[in-house]
């Protein structure tokens, strides 16, 4: 491991790998990434890996659209031979209240301004896309054919491999235990394998971001929350798009090899670093699926697991640098959409660190918004 670096990035999930790649591509020479487990061992390797343009705020629509445009060409851009497996089979957003339908219509107006090809669907049209959808409980749906999902392991590996090729040093199974600050300026990072002198640190640790920020006494209003997910036995292809409901806090997709992957939020999940699985999740998931997509509830579950959502008060990320500690940057608090924001996280953080003009104005995702109350009110989050 190097003992000095221009920039140290903590965490090698989609965010850390994308930030490392973008900085290296812009010519930064001495970048070190520290990961306490293996690449993609955090939430990134535990997620549904869905990506969508269908958001309700202009900024999120722009981030979603740019991310998807990147993912469409990720194999070529990152010179990745194994394929990130982007399946652009759409997101079918289902609504079970009139209020939600009204919100979808408003969202679509914003999406169209951003050039996103989304549309409202009647229940009959939704059934044409997913024939076994039980529409009895539903009011309508929205659809965007450009949305989809990827293989999160290959995608992260693609960023990791490209960054490595550009000279980034990755240290896995190495834990950051402290950050050294002198006169309000970052001067080094302590790890369980030794010290690295540096004046620039990026916190890309998602579920562990509060602990890392505490090392420099920067208080960030985030907490981590368990989210569970399961995979069924594989069956013949029967569902194209991701089916998602904000009201029921649910998403379901069929992976290319036939298994269904599905998850569901629950307000009673523990708010700590636990990633154990519960029987309660299986039971509730089965009930919800039986209501919405009945044939899928007959499939056998072969595995379930959990990961962390890193939550902020407005469920939107923090892209910022600390006001009082020079050289401390944060890309944290992604709630349930840090994977889909991954390509843009790397772009905007590298621009911030290098003092460049931002590709997308993400200044409203500053840390100070939680003090001023200037929150980003995004209606379409799970
Ligand atoms: P992580 O992938 O969590 O990486 C952080 C890394 O930091 C970890 O590898 C960890 O080991 C490392 N680390 C922590 N502390 C230290 C330390 N002290 N020293 C060194 N390393 C450290 N998002 C989507 O966009 N679409 C989805 O469909 C989706 N579905 C999801 C489903 C589930 C069940 C879950 C849990 C999440 C889902 N998400 C989804 C959210 C998404 O997974 C996260 O927002 C995203 O992966 C965050 O990426 P990251 O790189 O910031 O963090």
């Amino acid at each position: 491991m190097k003992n000095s670096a221009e920039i140290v990035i903590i965490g090698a999930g989609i965010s850390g790998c994308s930030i490392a790649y973008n900085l290296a591509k812009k010519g930064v020479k001495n970048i070190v990434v520290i990961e306490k487990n293996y690449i993609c061992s955090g939430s990134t390797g535990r997620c549904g890996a869905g990506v969508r343009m269908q958001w309700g705020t202009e900024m999120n629509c722009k981030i979603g659209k740019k991310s998807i445009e990147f993912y469409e060409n990720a194999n070529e851009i990152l010179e990745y031979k194994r394929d990130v497996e982007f399946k652009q089979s759409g997101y079918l957003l289902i609504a079970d209240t009139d209020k939600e339908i009204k919100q979808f219509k408003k969202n679509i107006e914003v999406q169209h301004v951003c050039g996103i090809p989304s549309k409202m669907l009647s229940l009959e049209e939704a059934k044409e896309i997913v024939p076994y959808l039980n529409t009895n409980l539903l009011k309508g749906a929205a659809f965007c054919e450009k949305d989809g999902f990827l293989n999160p392991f290959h995608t992260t590996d693609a960023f990791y491999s490209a960054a490595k090729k550009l000279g980034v040093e990755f240290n896995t199974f190495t834990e950051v235990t402290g950050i050294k600050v002198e006169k309000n300026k970052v001067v080094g990072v302590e790890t369980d394998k030794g010290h690295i002198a540096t004046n620039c640190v990026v916190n890309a640790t998602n579920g562990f971001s509060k602990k890392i920020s505490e090392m420099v006494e920067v208080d960030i209003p985030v907490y981590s929350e368990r989210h569970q997910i399961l995979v069924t036995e594989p069956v013949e292809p029967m569902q194209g798009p991701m089916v998602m409901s904000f009201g029921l806090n649910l998403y379901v997709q069929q992976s290319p090899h036939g298994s269904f992957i599905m998850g569901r939020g629950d307000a009673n999940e523990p708010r700590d670093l636990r990633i154990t699985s519960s029987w309660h999740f299986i039971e509730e998931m089965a009930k919800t699926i039986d209501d919405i997509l009945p044939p899928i509830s007959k499939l056998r579950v072969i595995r379930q697991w959990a990961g962390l959502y890193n939550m902020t008060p407005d469920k939107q990320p923090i892209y910022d640098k600390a006001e009082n500690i020079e050289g401390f940057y944060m890309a944290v608090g992604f709630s349930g959409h840090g994977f889909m924001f991954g390509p843009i996280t790397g772009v905007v953080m590298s621009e911030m660190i290098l003092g460049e003009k931002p590709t997308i104005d993400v200044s409203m995702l500053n840390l100070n918004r939680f003090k001023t109350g200037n929150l980003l009110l995004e209606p379409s989050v799970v």
Side-chain angles (χ1 to χ4, degrees):
M1 187 173 77
K2 287 181 180 167
N3 58 16
S4 74
E6 197 166 327
I7 299 173
V8 173
I9 298 165
I10 313 172
I14 191 78
S15 305
C17 292
S18 172
I19 296 166
Y21 163 73
N22 277 280
L23 284 165
K25 201 181 61 172
K26 287 169 190 280
V28 180
K29 286 283 171 266
N30 192 2
I31 303 166
V32 171
V33 180
I34 307 290
E35 166 53 54
K36 71 174 175 177
N37 288 311
Y38 51 90
I39 309 293
C40 207
S41 57
S43 300
T44 305
R46 298 165 175 277
C47 79
V51 295
R52 63 181 156 103
M53 299 185 185
Q54 294 183 85
W55 290 91
T57 54
E58 198 172 319
M59 191 190 64
N60 283 347
C61 286
K62 282 184 186 162
I63 295 177
K65 184 164 182 274
K66 276 233 173 283
S67 281
I68 285 182
E69 284 164 1
F70 177 89
Y71 280 140
E72 282 170 343
N73 301 298
N75 291 326
E76 293 73 34
I77 298 170
L78 299 172
E79 295 176 17
Y80 191 58
K81 301 277 181 297
R82 290 179 69 191
D83 187 6
V84 295
E85 296 174 6
F86 187 18
K87 300 287 171 254
Q88 241 168 332
S89 41
Y91 256 56
L92 182 72
L93 304 180
I94 52 175
D96 58 345
T97 62
D98 291 328
K99 194 172 160 215
E100 227 181 334
I101 289 290
K102 220 168 140 189
Q103 186 64 55
F104 280 8
K105 286 182 180 161
K106 265 196 196 164
N107 292 355
I108 284 177
E109 278 174 27
V110 179
Q111 289 157 15
H112 286 179
V113 169
C114 298
I116 294 168
S118 52
K119 55 185 177 190
M120 286 302 294
L121 297 183
S122 67
L123 291 174
E124 293 70 33
E125 288 168 326
K127 256 180 116 63
E128 275 169 30
I129 295 177
V130 179
Y132 50 88
L133 181 70
N134 177 14
T135 50
N136 293 343
L137 302 170
L138 304 180
K139 299 281 185 184
F143 185 69
C144 175
E145 64 187 15
K146 292 275 181 187
D147 297 343
F149 55 90
L150 297 99
N151 177 324
F153 297 99
H154 285 194
T155 308
T156 310
D157 184 45
F159 277 112
Y160 158 76
S161 305
K164 229 177 141 187
K165 245 191 254 167
L166 290 166
V168 175
E169 179 186 282
F170 284 83
N171 295 282
T172 51
F173 299 101
T174 306
E175 182 164 359
V176 169
T177 52
I179 298 171
K180 211 163 168 223
V181 174
E182 278 171 12
K183 295 184 186 150
N184 296 329
K185 189 173 172 180
V186 169
V187 293
V189 169
E190 306 293 345
T191 80
D192 57 359
K193 304 256 171 74
H195 176 82
I196 307 170
T198 186
N199 293 130
C200 182
V201 169
V202 186
N203 180 358
T205 59
N206 186 51
F208 303 85
S209 59
K210 197 168 182 76
K211 200 171 153 194
I212 297 292
S213 293
E214 278 168 0
M215 291 176 183
V216 291
E217 295 180 11
V218 169
D219 184 29
I220 54 172
V222 297
Y223 62 86
S224 291
E225 184 178 275
R226 180 176 71 178
H227 274 251
Q228 302 192 58
I229 182 164
L230 64 79
V231 60
T232 69
E233 61 184 326
V235 289
E236 75 284 356
M238 55 194 278
Q239 181 176 310
M242 172 86 86
V243 175
M244 178 176 258
S245 159
F246 299 116
L248 301 169
N249 220 330
L250 160 89
Y251 58 88
V252 187
Q253 76 192 44
Q254 187 173 27
S255 67
H257 68 92
S259 293
F260 277 85
I261 296 175
M262 60 190 86
R264 190 179 165 278
D266 185 334
N268 297 317
E269 284 289 11
R271 292 184 173 187
D272 52 34
L273 299 178
R274 247 176 296 173
I275 49 168
T276 47
S277 298
S278 75
W279 181 250
H280 177 75
F281 165 70
I282 296 264
E283 279 185 330
E284 293 302 314
M285 189 81 237
K287 274 187 229 158
T288 316
I289 281 296
D290 200 35
D291 284 342
I292 302 295
L293 299 159
I296 297 174
S297 69
K298 308 287 179 294
L299 301 180
R300 278 173 288 210
V301 174
I302 55 169
R303 196 160 73 86
Q304 74 178 107
W305 67 94
L308 297 174
Y309 274 25
N310 193 225
M311 307 295 292
T312 62
D314 60 5
K315 300 184 179 172
Q316 299 306 313
I318 302 168
Y319 290 133
D320 209 351
K321 56 183 174 203
E323 257 177 16
N324 302 325
I325 305 291
E326 199 183 322
F328 186 73
Y329 292 82
M330 295 154 270
V332 301
F334 289 102
S335 175
H337 45 279
F339 179 78
M340 64 183 91
F341 278 21
I344 295 307
T345 297
V347 170
V348 298
M349 290 308 296
S350 63
E351 290 165 345
M352 188 185 297
I353 292 165
L354 300 177
E356 294 173 355
K357 190 172 174 285
T359 301
I360 296 179
D361 180 10
V362 290
S363 57
M364 62 186 86
L365 295 177
N366 62 70
L367 176 59
N368 209 32
R369 74 185 189 272
F370 305 110
K371 280 194 195 135
T372 59
N374 221 352
L375 303 184
L376 184 74
L377 299 175
E378 168 58 62
S380 302
V381 273
V382 283

